[in-house]
Amino acid sequence: MNRFRIVKIIIVFSSLTYLSVTFLRNYNSPENIEKRCIFKFEKDFKNSLETSRKEWDQILDLADNNYLKCMDIP
């Protein structure tokens, strides 16, 4: 009975480790990082009709800088 318990603990620990590594590998893939960054700053790129050209340029510069920070690009 004790061996079965040890084997069960080893299997559970191994499964959790495997799932954690798989999740982190997928979560930190370049494609997923880019999708998260684009989604996060997508609202900054929407142009409203009341926005002046100068103000719009400032908004785009800010959104671009935030996107590059999110992507860890200096």
Side-chain angles (χ1 to χ4, degrees):
M1 189 67 178
N2 197 14
R3 283 184 176 184
F4 179 70
R5 191 175 202 182
I6 292 173
V7 168
K8 194 164 65 170
I9 290 172
I10 290 173
I11 289 172
V12 167
F13 182 73
S14 298
S15 298
L16 288 175
T17 303
Y18 174 75
L19 289 173
S20 298
V21 167
T22 304
F23 170 77
L24 289 174
R25 186 181 308 145
N26 186 32
Y27 185 79
N28 291 326
S29 71
E31 296 87 19
N32 287 336
I33 292 173
E34 184 176 1
K35 285 178 187 176
R36 284 193 308 272
C37 290
I38 287 173
F39 182 73
K40 187 176 181 182
F41 298 107
E42 189 176 43
K43 64 178 187 233
D44 292 340
F45 288 106
K46 293 184 180 171
N47 188 2
S48 66
L49 297 176
E50 305 98 29
T51 307
S52 69
R53 178 70 178 172
K54 186 176 181 180
E55 189 178 355
W56 178 241
D57 287 340
Q58 290 174 345
I59 291 171
L60 285 178
D61 286 341
L62 180 64
D64 189 41
N65 289 339
N66 288 339
Y67 176 75
L68 292 176
K69 276 188 217 172
C70 182
M71 293 292 291
D72 287 331
I73 299 173

